[in-house]
């Protein structure tokens, strides 16, 4: 039988293990550790009894308190829906003007609509609502079809050039591809259109303004108006301001006249509720042109 080895400096027994000349003492587990282990064990037993704990196939032990996180989350969701009901009911029925005048409701819109916009609109119009080439800047006041809230709500509902039977329809003809205008004529009318918005033209472009004005009057004015300020009934943009959907530089304006444009906005009816469409309308209207 092996004799028990004792550590000379401390007089304690060793375990017989040695690492690099260091021997491990056979010290007992500290009582404080045992105390905490005992407390943990007692807590676990109590928790197993009062709270859901053990899986049992397709079910689990419920505990005497009957706690249920899923039921609690469901209750919270229902309570939140009830809190929102007062606002959502009003959003679906009241006039947009009266809704916009209610600070409490607009505070709800400002809290809720940004997420709705990011989920459904930001892919085209940008997270900052400023759009990009081919997608209108919603942070500005000009609107192709009109900036009144009811008009904006209708545009969201039916879309533009969409399959919806009531969709708004607009198309810029491809004057170059269809042979209506030749290269020289397109350059002339392009220069004239850019002059309407106050752009600085070079000498060659200024020399084409008279011809461009004549072409504009016979070819473009029926949609954009004799003064170039557009027609919201047709979705024809205002060419006399500095707002451009596709770009206002010479190359892009030439491309637009030559190849035409036909934008598309999907109809959101059926994908968004009437209340959500009107909420987006209020959000866009409140934050355009500097906004609130």
């Amino acid at each position: 039988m092996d004799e028990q080895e004792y550590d000379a400096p401390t007089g304690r027994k060793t375990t017989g293990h040695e690492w690099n000349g260091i021997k491990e003492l056979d010290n007992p587990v500290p009582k404080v550790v045992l105390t905490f282990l005992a407390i943990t064990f007692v807590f676990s037993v109590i928790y197993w009894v009062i709270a859901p704990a053990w899986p049992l196939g397709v079910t689990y032990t419920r505990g005497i308190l009957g706690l249920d996180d899923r039921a609690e989350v469901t209750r919270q969701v229902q309570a939140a829906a009830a809190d929102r009901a007062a606002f959502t009911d009003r959003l679906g029925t009241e006039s947009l003007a009266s809704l916009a005048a209610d600070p409490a409701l607009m505070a709800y819109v400002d809290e809720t609509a940004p997420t709705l916009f990011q989920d459904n609109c930001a892919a085209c119009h940008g997270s900052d609502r400023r759009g990009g080439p081919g997608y209108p800047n919603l942070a500005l006041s000009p609107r192709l079809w009109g900036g009144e809230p009811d008009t904006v709500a209708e545009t969201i509902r039916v879309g533009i050039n969409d399959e919806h039977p009531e969709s708004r329809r607009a198309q810029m003809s491809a004057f170059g591809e269809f042979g209506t205008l030749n290269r020289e004529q397109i350059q002339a009318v392009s220069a004239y259109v850019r002059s309407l918005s106050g752009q600085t033209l070079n000498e060659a472009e200024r020399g084409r303004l008279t011809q461009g004005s004549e072409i504009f009057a016979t070819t473009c004015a029926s949609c954009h108006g004799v003064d170039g300020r557009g027609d919201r009934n047709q979705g024809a943009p205002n060419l006399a301001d500095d707002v451009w959907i596709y770009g206002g530089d010479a190359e892009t304006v030439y491309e637009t006249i030559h190849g035409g444009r036909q934008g598309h906005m999907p109809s959101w009816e059926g994908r968004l509720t009437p209340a959500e469409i009107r909420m987006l309308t209020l959000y866009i209207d409140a934050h355009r042109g500097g906004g609130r």
Side-chain angles (χ1 to χ4, degrees):
M1 182 175 181
D2 293 338
E3 293 184 2
Q4 182 69 52
E5 183 181 7
Y6 288 84
D7 177 56
T10 62
R12 294 181 181 274
K13 293 180 181 180
T14 70
T15 63
H17 300 155
E18 181 178 341
W19 293 273
N20 294 328
I22 301 174
K23 294 183 179 181
E24 181 181 13
L25 300 182
D26 188 15
N27 289 330
V29 177
K31 291 183 180 180
V32 65
V33 174
L34 294 176
T35 300
F36 278 108
L37 288 174
I39 292 173
T40 301
F41 176 77
V42 172
F43 172 81
S44 300
V45 172
I46 295 174
Y47 187 86
W48 293 341
V49 172
I50 67 174
W54 290 99
L56 300 173
V58 297
T59 185
Y60 55 90
T61 57
R62 306 287 174 168
I64 61 177
L65 294 181
L67 300 177
D68 189 330
D69 288 345
R70 178 176 295 179
E72 177 62 17
V73 170
T74 300
R75 185 195 66 76
Q76 292 176 353
V77 170
Q78 292 173 341
D83 291 339
R84 294 194 303 268
F87 289 131
T88 54
D89 289 347
R90 292 180 58 196
L91 282 166
T93 57
E94 289 188 26
S95 71
L96 290 170
S98 65
L99 294 172
D102 186 334
L105 185 134
M106 289 306 298
Y108 170 73
V109 168
D110 283 342
E111 179 181 355
T112 307
T115 300
L116 190 64
F117 186 91
Q118 295 298 324
D119 290 344
N120 298 281
C121 313
C124 293
H125 295 287
S127 59
D128 58 358
R129 309 181 311 284
R130 296 188 179 278
Y135 302 103
N137 184 341
L138 303 181
L140 295 178
S141 293
R143 298 288 187 272
L144 284 176
W145 298 92
E148 301 77 14
D150 287 328
T151 304
V152 174
E154 182 69 2
T155 300
I156 298 173
R157 184 181 76 86
V158 303
I160 300 171
N161 295 324
D162 189 70
E163 296 179 355
H164 192 288
E166 301 175 53
S167 181
R168 301 186 185 281
R169 305 288 175 188
Q171 180 174 353
M172 166 82 178
S173 180
F175 292 102
E177 290 184 0
F178 293 160
T180 307
L181 299 176
N182 60 34
R183 177 179 177 81
E184 180 183 344
Q185 290 172 319
I186 294 176
Q187 288 177 329
V189 76
S190 172
Y192 178 73
V193 166
R194 292 171 51 233
S195 74
L196 293 176
S197 60
Q199 294 191 36
T200 302
L201 306 180
N202 59 38
E203 184 177 352
E205 290 171 331
R206 291 194 297 271
R208 300 187 182 110
L209 289 179
T210 299
Q211 181 187 13
S213 174
E214 294 171 353
I215 296 172
F216 186 91
T218 58
T219 308
C220 313
S222 59
C223 291
H224 294 284
V226 294
D227 57 359
R229 297 189 178 278
D231 182 355
R232 291 182 171 184
N233 293 321
Q234 303 181 66
N238 182 351
L239 305 178
D241 59 20
D242 60 353
V243 178
W244 301 89
I245 297 178
Y246 294 92
D249 59 281
E251 181 179 353
T252 304
V253 173
Y254 182 96
E255 180 183 347
T256 296
I257 299 171
H258 181 274
R261 301 290 186 185
Q262 182 175 358
H264 173 261
M265 173 174 170
S267 161
W268 292 96
E269 186 173 53
R271 287 183 281 185
L272 297 178
T273 66
E276 289 173 330
I277 289 175
R278 289 159 66 82
M279 182 188 299
L280 281 173
T281 300
L282 290 168
Y283 173 68
I284 292 169
D285 185 66
H287 293 278
R288 65 175 179 167
R292 299 179 320 119

